[in-house]
Amino acid sequence: MMDDRAFRNAMGKFATGVTVITTLLEDEAHGMTANAFMSVSLNPRLVLISIGEKAKMLDKINESGKFAVNILSDDQKDLSMHFAGQIKEKRQIEFDWINELPVIKNALTNIVCKVHSKQIVGDHTLFIGEVTDIVTCEGAPLAFYEGKYSKVFS
Ligand code: FAD
């Protein structure tokens, strides 16, 4: 028999990188940790993210029509935990800016997108983003596997 725990455990067997999705609505930056990210198409350049129906980020992207995907480096675990709401203390985050969109400083990559299309699927919304800007840095990625962070390259 498959229950929710078995489903989650099976999905956790897929090792991923970790991103923070950022957007701007009414001059307010918002960030959220996400690992449901993939590259979709080269021509045109499209990527995909999946946002849960309970996440505050959902309405923000629905209204702003744009977002950035920031791929975290292995020394940014604290940022991942912060933007997943796993650290209770309030923290002031200083963002970088690309074309008036907040992005995470020193991330491995900032991928700036405008919403190309979206699809509500079950309890998540899939956003396809058309990539308008990219900034990349050198470094090693933060990885996530079986619900835990790890470094994949040392
Ligand atoms: P909140 O819970 O309000 O925000 C998240 C945190 O970010 C809060 O602590 C908030 O204070 C802080 N924050 C936001 N904006 C700012 C700002 N401008 N300055 C300072 N702090 C700020 N959920 C998904 O829907 N899709 C996924 O793909 C996904 N992948 C995940 C992968 C991992 C590894 C983890 C740990 C979690 C993942 N989640 C995912 C869960 C998601 O990160 C949390 O549910 C998150 O708390 C939802 O954020 P929210 O938009 O509801 O906003």
Side-chain angles (χ1 to χ4, degrees):
M1 250 315 266
M2 187 190 15
D3 58 14
D4 287 355
R5 175 48 50 195
F7 181 80
R8 276 167 173 267
N9 288 347
M11 298 307 119
K13 295 286 184 192
F14 188 56
T16 67
V18 181
T19 79
V20 171
I21 309 298
T22 47
T23 194
L24 184 77
L25 188 65
E26 288 157 5
D27 288 334
E28 220 177 283
H30 187 74
M32 187 198 101
T33 301
N35 65 346
F37 161 72
M38 66 184 281
S39 170
V40 172
S41 161
L42 188 58
N43 184 21
R45 296 184 188 104
L46 303 173
V47 298
L48 179 146
I49 59 171
S50 177
I51 307 289
E53 64 186 0
K54 295 199 180 111
K56 295 198 189 94
M57 182 57 91
L58 180 58
D59 285 346
K60 298 197 188 263
I61 297 180
N62 272 328
E63 288 187 43
S64 72
K66 53 192 177 181
F67 61 88
V69 181
N70 306 273
I71 300 177
L72 299 186
S73 70
D74 63 1
D75 59 2
Q76 294 180 312
K77 177 180 159 184
D78 61 324
L79 278 181
S80 174
M81 293 181 70
H82 174 77
F83 284 108
Q86 294 168 329
I87 297 174
K88 288 298 148 223
E89 304 98 68
K90 284 251 168 210
R91 186 171 159 189
Q92 192 81 20
I93 303 281
E94 209 192 307
F95 294 93
D96 272 347
W97 294 83
I98 301 176
N99 283 342
E100 290 161 24
L101 204 66
V103 297
I104 301 292
K105 272 182 193 295
N106 302 319
L108 290 185
T109 305
N110 309 117
I111 304 163
V112 177
C113 305
K114 63 180 181 194
V115 173
H116 168 280
S117 49
K118 62 186 174 188
Q119 177 85 46
I120 300 170
V121 185
D123 56 12
H124 277 59
T125 297
L126 305 179
F127 287 98
I128 303 277
E130 186 178 339
V131 179
T132 56
D133 286 283
I134 280 182
V135 173
T136 52
C137 291
E138 288 307 310
L142 182 64
F144 196 70
Y145 179 66
E146 288 189 329
K148 295 189 197 77
Y149 295 99
S150 63
K151 295 189 181 199
V152 277
F153 304 106
S154 49

mmCIF file of all heavy atoms in Angstrom, residues 24-69:
data_model
loop_
_atom_site.group_PDB
_atom_site.id
_atom_site.type_symbol
_atom_site.label_atom_id
_atom_site.label_comp_id
_atom_site.label_asym_id
_atom_site.label_seq_id
_atom_site.Cartn_x
_atom_site.Cartn_y
_atom_site.Cartn_z
ATOM 1 N N LEU A 24 9.018 40.315 -6.722
ATOM 2 C CA LEU A 24 8.762 41.644 -6.147
ATOM 3 C C LEU A 24 7.315 42.002 -6.419
ATOM 4 O O LEU A 24 6.841 41.922 -7.561
ATOM 5 C CB LEU A 24 9.669 42.683 -6.823
ATOM 6 C CG LEU A 24 9.570 44.095 -6.250
ATOM 7 C CD1 LEU A 24 10.325 44.188 -4.924
ATOM 8 C CD2 LEU A 24 10.163 45.119 -7.232
ATOM 9 N N LEU A 25 6.604 42.385 -5.332
ATOM 10 C CA LEU A 25 5.223 42.836 -5.508
ATOM 11 C C LEU A 25 5.016 44.080 -4.656
ATOM 12 O O LEU A 25 5.307 44.047 -3.448
ATOM 13 C CB LEU A 25 4.246 41.728 -5.092
ATOM 14 C CG LEU A 25 2.783 42.015 -5.426
ATOM 15 C CD1 LEU A 25 2.547 42.077 -6.929
ATOM 16 C CD2 LEU A 25 1.881 40.959 -4.793
ATOM 17 N N GLU A 26 4.531 45.134 -5.256
ATOM 18 C CA GLU A 26 4.319 46.408 -4.564
ATOM 19 C C GLU A 26 5.548 46.813 -3.750
ATOM 20 O O GLU A 26 5.460 47.111 -2.558
ATOM 21 C CB GLU A 26 3.067 46.331 -3.686
ATOM 22 C CG GLU A 26 1.798 46.324 -4.524
ATOM 23 C CD GLU A 26 0.618 45.700 -3.791
ATOM 24 O OE1 GLU A 26 0.767 45.357 -2.601
ATOM 25 O OE2 GLU A 26 -0.436 45.558 -4.423
ATOM 26 N N ASP A 27 6.688 46.789 -4.409
ATOM 27 C CA ASP A 27 7.961 47.216 -3.807
ATOM 28 C C ASP A 27 8.429 46.334 -2.654
ATOM 29 O O ASP A 27 9.338 46.698 -1.923
ATOM 30 C CB ASP A 27 7.888 48.676 -3.315
ATOM 31 C CG ASP A 27 7.867 49.640 -4.478
ATOM 32 O OD1 ASP A 27 8.394 49.256 -5.544
ATOM 33 O OD2 ASP A 27 7.309 50.731 -4.323
ATOM 34 N N GLU A 28 7.797 45.183 -2.467
ATOM 35 C CA GLU A 28 8.218 44.282 -1.389
ATOM 36 C C GLU A 28 8.799 43.000 -1.979
ATOM 37 O O GLU A 28 8.117 42.309 -2.752
ATOM 38 C CB GLU A 28 7.014 43.948 -0.512
ATOM 39 C CG GLU A 28 7.361 43.916 0.957
ATOM 40 C CD GLU A 28 6.125 43.651 1.790
ATOM 41 O OE1 GLU A 28 5.321 44.587 1.984
ATOM 42 O OE2 GLU A 28 5.980 42.479 2.200
ATOM 43 N N ALA A 29 10.058 42.701 -1.571
ATOM 44 C CA ALA A 29 10.697 41.464 -2.039
ATOM 45 C C ALA A 29 10.136 40.288 -1.257
ATOM 46 O O ALA A 29 9.812 40.409 -0.073
ATOM 47 C CB ALA A 29 12.198 41.560 -1.832
ATOM 48 N N HIS A 30 10.012 39.135 -1.916
ATOM 49 C CA HIS A 30 9.611 37.907 -1.227
ATOM 50 C C HIS A 30 10.455 36.759 -1.763
ATOM 51 O O HIS A 30 10.704 36.666 -2.964
ATOM 52 C CB HIS A 30 8.120 37.623 -1.446
ATOM 53 C CG HIS A 30 7.628 36.468 -0.617
ATOM 54 N ND1 HIS A 30 7.421 36.565 0.744
ATOM 55 C CD2 HIS A 30 7.333 35.190 -0.944
ATOM 56 C CE1 HIS A 30 7.003 35.391 1.210
ATOM 57 N NE2 HIS A 30 6.941 34.540 0.206
ATOM 58 N N GLY A 31 10.911 35.904 -0.844
ATOM 59 C CA GLY A 31 11.716 34.741 -1.243
ATOM 60 C C GLY A 31 11.145 33.466 -0.669
ATOM 61 O O GLY A 31 10.511 33.479 0.394
ATOM 62 N N MET A 32 11.375 32.350 -1.365
ATOM 63 C CA MET A 32 10.899 31.034 -0.918
ATOM 64 C C MET A 32 11.824 29.939 -1.434
ATOM 65 O O MET A 32 12.133 29.900 -2.629
ATOM 66 C CB MET A 32 9.482 30.792 -1.449
ATOM 67 C CG MET A 32 8.830 29.552 -0.910
ATOM 68 S SD MET A 32 7.431 29.004 -1.906
ATOM 69 C CE MET A 32 8.226 27.679 -2.818
ATOM 70 N N THR A 33 12.232 29.063 -0.552
ATOM 71 C CA THR A 33 13.086 27.926 -0.932
ATOM 72 C C THR A 33 12.298 26.921 -1.771
ATOM 73 O O THR A 33 11.165 26.590 -1.437
ATOM 74 C CB THR A 33 13.620 27.239 0.345
ATOM 75 O OG1 THR A 33 14.347 28.207 1.080
ATOM 76 C CG2 THR A 33 14.489 26.049 0.029
ATOM 77 N N ALA A 34 12.911 26.438 -2.848
ATOM 78 C CA ALA A 34 12.238 25.455 -3.711
ATOM 79 C C ALA A 34 13.263 24.539 -4.375
ATOM 80 O O ALA A 34 14.330 24.997 -4.790
ATOM 81 C CB ALA A 34 11.416 26.169 -4.785
ATOM 82 N N ASN A 35 12.917 23.261 -4.457
ATOM 83 C CA ASN A 35 13.786 22.365 -5.234
ATOM 84 C C ASN A 35 13.052 21.782 -6.440
ATOM 85 O O ASN A 35 13.634 21.028 -7.209
ATOM 86 C CB ASN A 35 14.402 21.265 -4.363
ATOM 87 C CG ASN A 35 13.397 20.299 -3.801
ATOM 88 O OD1 ASN A 35 12.201 20.561 -3.840
ATOM 89 N ND2 ASN A 35 13.879 19.193 -3.267
ATOM 90 N N ALA A 36 11.771 22.152 -6.617
ATOM 91 C CA ALA A 36 11.039 21.703 -7.804
ATOM 92 C C ALA A 36 11.330 22.684 -8.937
ATOM 93 O O ALA A 36 10.590 23.656 -9.149
ATOM 94 C CB ALA A 36 9.548 21.630 -7.511
ATOM 95 N N PHE A 37 12.424 22.453 -9.603
ATOM 96 C CA PHE A 37 12.891 23.338 -10.675
ATOM 97 C C PHE A 37 13.471 22.483 -11.788
ATOM 98 O O PHE A 37 14.149 21.498 -11.513
ATOM 99 C CB PHE A 37 13.973 24.282 -10.124
ATOM 100 C CG PHE A 37 14.822 24.913 -11.194
ATOM 101 C CD1 PHE A 37 14.295 25.894 -12.016
ATOM 102 C CD2 PHE A 37 16.136 24.514 -11.394
ATOM 103 C CE1 PHE A 37 15.067 26.469 -13.028
ATOM 104 C CE2 PHE A 37 16.911 25.086 -12.403
ATOM 105 C CZ PHE A 37 16.373 26.061 -13.208
ATOM 106 N N MET A 38 13.203 22.853 -13.015
ATOM 107 C CA MET A 38 13.877 22.181 -14.132
ATOM 108 C C MET A 38 13.983 23.104 -15.332
ATOM 109 O O MET A 38 13.192 24.036 -15.492
ATOM 110 C CB MET A 38 13.157 20.891 -14.538
ATOM 111 C CG MET A 38 11.775 21.098 -15.108
ATOM 112 S SD MET A 38 10.916 19.545 -15.453
ATOM 113 C CE MET A 38 11.678 19.089 -17.010
ATOM 114 N N SER A 39 14.972 22.836 -16.134
ATOM 115 C CA SER A 39 15.104 23.484 -17.432
ATOM 116 C C SER A 39 14.159 22.780 -18.401
ATOM 117 O O SER A 39 14.052 21.554 -18.372
ATOM 118 C CB SER A 39 16.558 23.347 -17.888
ATOM 119 O OG SER A 39 16.675 23.750 -19.213
ATOM 120 N N VAL A 40 13.453 23.543 -19.238
ATOM 121 C CA VAL A 40 12.415 22.945 -20.096
ATOM 122 C C VAL A 40 12.760 23.028 -21.577
ATOM 123 O O VAL A 40 12.608 22.060 -22.316
ATOM 124 C CB VAL A 40 11.049 23.642 -19.842
ATOM 125 C CG1 VAL A 40 10.004 23.201 -20.840
ATOM 126 C CG2 VAL A 40 10.559 23.369 -18.422
ATOM 127 N N SER A 41 13.191 24.193 -22.038
ATOM 128 C CA SER A 41 13.349 24.393 -23.488
ATOM 129 C C SER A 41 14.494 25.358 -23.746
ATOM 130 O O SER A 41 14.716 26.289 -22.966
ATOM 131 C CB SER A 41 12.035 24.969 -24.052
ATOM 132 O OG SER A 41 12.219 25.578 -25.306
ATOM 133 N N LEU A 42 15.214 25.117 -24.861
ATOM 134 C CA LEU A 42 16.319 26.010 -25.242
ATOM 135 C C LEU A 42 15.824 27.098 -26.187
ATOM 136 O O LEU A 42 16.256 28.242 -26.121
ATOM 137 C CB LEU A 42 17.417 25.174 -25.908
ATOM 138 C CG LEU A 42 18.738 25.856 -26.219
ATOM 139 C CD1 LEU A 42 19.378 26.444 -24.972
ATOM 140 C CD2 LEU A 42 19.687 24.854 -26.866
ATOM 141 N N ASN A 43 14.920 26.737 -27.081
ATOM 142 C CA ASN A 43 14.403 27.707 -28.049
ATOM 143 C C ASN A 43 12.882 27.612 -28.151
ATOM 144 O O ASN A 43 12.384 26.743 -28.837
ATOM 145 C CB ASN A 43 15.053 27.458 -29.413
ATOM 146 C CG ASN A 43 14.624 28.491 -30.429
ATOM 147 O OD1 ASN A 43 14.176 29.572 -30.057
ATOM 148 N ND2 ASN A 43 14.732 28.154 -31.701
ATOM 149 N N PRO A 44 12.141 28.464 -27.416
ATOM 150 C CA PRO A 44 12.626 29.558 -26.573
ATOM 151 C C PRO A 44 13.189 29.049 -25.247
ATOM 152 O O PRO A 44 12.978 27.879 -24.900
ATOM 153 C CB PRO A 44 11.365 30.394 -26.334
ATOM 154 C CG PRO A 44 10.244 29.406 -26.401
ATOM 155 C CD PRO A 44 10.669 28.383 -27.413
ATOM 156 N N ARG A 45 13.879 29.939 -24.521
ATOM 157 C CA ARG A 45 14.510 29.541 -23.255
ATOM 158 C C ARG A 45 13.464 29.550 -22.143
ATOM 159 O O ARG A 45 12.997 30.609 -21.729
ATOM 160 C CB ARG A 45 15.648 30.509 -22.908
ATOM 161 C CG ARG A 45 16.757 30.458 -23.929
ATOM 162 C CD ARG A 45 17.921 31.324 -23.545
ATOM 163 N NE ARG A 45 18.843 31.366 -24.657
ATOM 164 C CZ ARG A 45 18.988 32.389 -25.489
ATOM 165 N NH1 ARG A 45 18.288 33.494 -25.308
ATOM 166 N NH2 ARG A 45 19.841 32.329 -26.484
ATOM 167 N N LEU A 46 13.113 28.347 -21.677
ATOM 168 C CA LEU A 46 12.053 28.212 -20.679
ATOM 169 C C LEU A 46 12.510 27.339 -19.515
ATOM 170 O O LEU A 46 13.245 26.366 -19.713
ATOM 171 C CB LEU A 46 10.807 27.566 -21.303
ATOM 172 C CG LEU A 46 10.194 28.257 -22.523
ATOM 173 C CD1 LEU A 46 9.080 27.399 -23.107
ATOM 174 C CD2 LEU A 46 9.666 29.641 -22.156
ATOM 175 N N VAL A 47 12.067 27.696 -18.310
ATOM 176 C CA VAL A 47 12.300 26.874 -17.125
ATOM 177 C C VAL A 47 10.968 26.671 -16.412
ATOM 178 O O VAL A 47 9.982 27.360 -16.714
ATOM 179 C CB VAL A 47 13.310 27.532 -16.155
ATOM 180 C CG1 VAL A 47 14.673 27.702 -16.809
ATOM 181 C CG2 VAL A 47 12.792 28.866 -15.618
ATOM 182 N N LEU A 48 10.941 25.722 -15.464
ATOM 183 C CA LEU A 48 9.699 25.415 -14.754
ATOM 184 C C LEU A 48 9.941 25.392 -13.240
ATOM 185 O O LEU A 48 10.974 24.904 -12.782
ATOM 186 C CB LEU A 48 9.181 24.050 -15.217
ATOM 187 C CG LEU A 48 7.896 23.524 -14.574
ATOM 188 C CD1 LEU A 48 7.105 22.725 -15.621
ATOM 189 C CD2 LEU A 48 8.188 22.606 -13.396
ATOM 190 N N ILE A 49 8.988 25.953 -12.493
ATOM 191 C CA ILE A 49 8.983 25.816 -11.037
ATOM 192 C C ILE A 49 7.584 25.357 -10.612
ATOM 193 O O ILE A 49 6.609 25.535 -11.367
ATOM 194 C CB ILE A 49 9.358 27.129 -10.308
ATOM 195 C CG1 ILE A 49 8.394 28.261 -10.682
ATOM 196 C CG2 ILE A 49 10.805 27.509 -10.600
ATOM 197 C CD1 ILE A 49 8.564 29.517 -9.847
ATOM 198 N N SER A 50 7.494 24.791 -9.416
ATOM 199 C CA SER A 50 6.215 24.295 -8.907
ATOM 200 C C SER A 50 5.989 24.891 -7.524
ATOM 201 O O SER A 50 6.815 24.713 -6.626
ATOM 202 C CB SER A 50 6.267 22.761 -8.837
ATOM 203 O OG SER A 50 5.077 22.254 -8.277
ATOM 204 N N ILE A 51 4.873 25.613 -7.357
ATOM 205 C CA ILE A 51 4.615 26.328 -6.099
ATOM 206 C C ILE A 51 3.340 25.785 -5.453
ATOM 207 O O ILE A 51 2.279 25.735 -6.094
ATOM 208 C CB ILE A 51 4.445 27.853 -6.353
ATOM 209 C CG1 ILE A 51 5.640 28.423 -7.131
ATOM 210 C CG2 ILE A 51 4.227 28.598 -5.031
ATOM 211 C CD1 ILE A 51 6.919 28.521 -6.362
ATOM 212 N N GLY A 52 3.443 25.419 -4.194
ATOM 213 C CA GLY A 52 2.320 24.848 -3.448
ATOM 214 C C GLY A 52 1.199 25.856 -3.240
ATOM 215 O O GLY A 52 1.442 27.056 -3.122
ATOM 216 N N GLU A 53 -0.039 25.340 -3.146
ATOM 217 C CA GLU A 53 -1.204 26.251 -3.044
ATOM 218 C C GLU A 53 -1.220 27.043 -1.754
ATOM 219 O O GLU A 53 -1.851 28.096 -1.679
ATOM 220 C CB GLU A 53 -2.514 25.460 -3.205
ATOM 221 C CG GLU A 53 -2.743 24.452 -2.099
ATOM 222 C CD GLU A 53 -3.968 23.575 -2.328
ATOM 223 O OE1 GLU A 53 -4.656 23.739 -3.356
ATOM 224 O OE2 GLU A 53 -4.214 22.711 -1.465
ATOM 225 N N LYS A 54 -0.512 26.561 -0.717
ATOM 226 C CA LYS A 54 -0.514 27.271 0.567
ATOM 227 C C LYS A 54 0.601 28.303 0.661
ATOM 228 O O LYS A 54 0.627 29.106 1.592
ATOM 229 C CB LYS A 54 -0.366 26.279 1.717
ATOM 230 C CG LYS A 54 -1.544 25.333 1.829
ATOM 231 C CD LYS A 54 -1.611 24.696 3.209
ATOM 232 C CE LYS A 54 -2.789 23.758 3.321
ATOM 233 N NZ LYS A 54 -2.356 22.342 3.405
ATOM 234 N N ALA A 55 1.540 28.289 -0.276
ATOM 235 C CA ALA A 55 2.694 29.203 -0.190
ATOM 236 C C ALA A 55 2.263 30.634 -0.513
ATOM 237 O O ALA A 55 1.517 30.869 -1.471
ATOM 238 C CB ALA A 55 3.785 28.741 -1.151
ATOM 239 N N LYS A 56 2.767 31.578 0.279
ATOM 240 C CA LYS A 56 2.486 32.993 0.002
ATOM 241 C C LYS A 56 3.037 33.388 -1.359
ATOM 242 O O LYS A 56 2.524 34.290 -2.016
ATOM 243 C CB LYS A 56 3.123 33.867 1.090
ATOM 244 C CG LYS A 56 2.531 33.642 2.459
ATOM 245 C CD LYS A 56 2.866 34.803 3.389
ATOM 246 C CE LYS A 56 2.461 34.485 4.813
ATOM 247 N NZ LYS A 56 3.591 33.908 5.592
ATOM 248 N N MET A 57 4.086 32.693 -1.755
ATOM 249 C CA MET A 57 4.708 32.998 -3.045
ATOM 250 C C MET A 57 3.735 32.858 -4.214
ATOM 251 O O MET A 57 3.876 33.543 -5.228
ATOM 252 C CB MET A 57 5.904 32.046 -3.237
ATOM 253 C CG MET A 57 6.682 32.265 -4.482
ATOM 254 S SD MET A 57 7.319 33.945 -4.612
ATOM 255 C CE MET A 57 8.908 33.798 -3.862
ATOM 256 N N LEU A 58 2.729 31.988 -4.064
ATOM 257 C CA LEU A 58 1.829 31.710 -5.193
ATOM 258 C C LEU A 58 1.119 32.980 -5.672
ATOM 259 O O LEU A 58 1.185 33.329 -6.857
ATOM 260 C CB LEU A 58 0.813 30.628 -4.797
ATOM 261 C CG LEU A 58 -0.188 30.233 -5.879
ATOM 262 C CD1 LEU A 58 0.531 29.732 -7.130
ATOM 263 C CD2 LEU A 58 -1.145 29.170 -5.367
ATOM 264 N N ASP A 59 0.453 33.693 -4.754
ATOM 265 C CA ASP A 59 -0.266 34.910 -5.154
ATOM 266 C C ASP A 59 0.704 35.965 -5.659
ATOM 267 O O ASP A 59 0.379 36.748 -6.545
ATOM 268 C CB ASP A 59 -1.049 35.488 -3.972
ATOM 269 C CG ASP A 59 -2.298 34.667 -3.699
ATOM 270 O OD1 ASP A 59 -2.656 33.860 -4.586
ATOM 271 O OD2 ASP A 59 -2.892 34.816 -2.613
ATOM 272 N N LYS A 60 1.887 35.985 -5.038
ATOM 273 C CA LYS A 60 2.856 37.026 -5.412
ATOM 274 C C LYS A 60 3.288 36.863 -6.863
ATOM 275 O O LYS A 60 3.335 37.833 -7.614
ATOM 276 C CB LYS A 60 4.044 37.019 -4.454
ATOM 277 C CG LYS A 60 3.573 37.332 -3.038
ATOM 278 C CD LYS A 60 4.661 37.751 -2.117
ATOM 279 C CE LYS A 60 4.140 37.853 -0.701
ATOM 280 N NZ LYS A 60 3.761 39.201 -0.294
ATOM 281 N N ILE A 61 3.582 35.622 -7.274
ATOM 282 C CA ILE A 61 3.986 35.424 -8.678
ATOM 283 C C ILE A 61 2.774 35.592 -9.598
ATOM 284 O O ILE A 61 2.890 36.172 -10.685
ATOM 285 C CB ILE A 61 4.647 34.047 -8.900
ATOM 286 C CG1 ILE A 61 5.940 33.949 -8.094
ATOM 287 C CG2 ILE A 61 4.939 33.822 -10.387
ATOM 288 C CD1 ILE A 61 6.679 32.632 -8.233
ATOM 289 N N ASN A 62 1.608 35.124 -9.151
ATOM 290 C CA ASN A 62 0.402 35.316 -9.970
ATOM 291 C C ASN A 62 0.196 36.797 -10.275
ATOM 292 O O ASN A 62 -0.221 37.164 -11.373
ATOM 293 C CB ASN A 62 -0.829 34.761 -9.249
ATOM 294 C CG ASN A 62 -1.041 33.292 -9.554
ATOM 295 O OD1 ASN A 62 -0.716 32.827 -10.645
ATOM 296 N ND2 ASN A 62 -1.576 32.552 -8.590
ATOM 297 N N GLU A 63 0.495 37.661 -9.277
ATOM 298 C CA GLU A 63 0.264 39.101 -9.478
ATOM 299 C C GLU A 63 1.425 39.803 -10.155
ATOM 300 O O GLU A 63 1.215 40.697 -10.973
ATOM 301 C CB GLU A 63 -0.063 39.766 -8.141
ATOM 302 C CG GLU A 63 -1.456 39.383 -7.669
ATOM 303 C CD GLU A 63 -1.884 40.150 -6.433
ATOM 304 O OE1 GLU A 63 -1.644 41.367 -6.373
ATOM 305 O OE2 GLU A 63 -2.436 39.512 -5.531
ATOM 306 N N SER A 64 2.656 39.430 -9.793
ATOM 307 C CA SER A 64 3.810 40.161 -10.356
ATOM 308 C C SER A 64 4.102 39.731 -11.793
ATOM 309 O O SER A 64 4.626 40.508 -12.590
ATOM 310 C CB SER A 64 5.059 39.954 -9.499
ATOM 311 O OG SER A 64 5.544 38.637 -9.651
ATOM 312 N N GLY A 65 3.813 38.451 -12.102
ATOM 313 C CA GLY A 65 4.084 37.935 -13.449
ATOM 314 C C GLY A 65 5.566 37.738 -13.722
ATOM 315 O O GLY A 65 5.965 37.542 -14.879
ATOM 316 N N LYS A 66 6.390 37.774 -12.674
ATOM 317 C CA LYS A 66 7.817 37.532 -12.890
ATOM 318 C C LYS A 66 8.435 36.917 -11.646
ATOM 319 O O LYS A 66 7.905 37.068 -10.539
ATOM 320 C CB LYS A 66 8.535 38.821 -13.278
ATOM 321 C CG LYS A 66 8.323 39.951 -12.342
ATOM 322 C CD LYS A 66 8.811 41.267 -12.938
ATOM 323 C CE LYS A 66 8.502 42.381 -11.971
ATOM 324 N NZ LYS A 66 8.893 43.693 -12.421
ATOM 325 N N PHE A 67 9.561 36.233 -11.848
ATOM 326 C CA PHE A 67 10.266 35.624 -10.715
ATOM 327 C C PHE A 67 11.705 35.360 -11.126
ATOM 328 O O PHE A 67 12.039 35.383 -12.323
ATOM 329 C CB PHE A 67 9.578 34.322 -10.270
ATOM 330 C CG PHE A 67 9.518 33.233 -11.311
ATOM 331 C CD1 PHE A 67 10.553 32.320 -11.463
ATOM 332 C CD2 PHE A 67 8.411 33.118 -12.160
ATOM 333 C CE1 PHE A 67 10.497 31.320 -12.423
ATOM 334 C CE2 PHE A 67 8.338 32.116 -13.130
ATOM 335 C CZ PHE A 67 9.386 31.217 -13.255
ATOM 336 N N ALA A 68 12.549 35.144 -10.099
ATOM 337 C CA ALA A 68 13.924 34.712 -10.365
ATOM 338 C C ALA A 68 14.164 33.398 -9.648
ATOM 339 O O ALA A 68 13.626 33.170 -8.550
ATOM 340 C CB ALA A 68 14.915 35.758 -9.891
ATOM 341 N N VAL A 69 14.940 32.525 -10.272
ATOM 342 C CA VAL A 69 15.371 31.273 -9.654
ATOM 343 C C VAL A 69 16.840 31.453 -9.296
ATOM 344 O O VAL A 69 17.655 31.751 -10.180
ATOM 345 C CB VAL A 69 15.216 30.088 -10.638
ATOM 346 C CG1 VAL A 69 15.655 28.788 -9.967
ATOM 347 C CG2 VAL A 69 13.784 29.971 -11.152
#
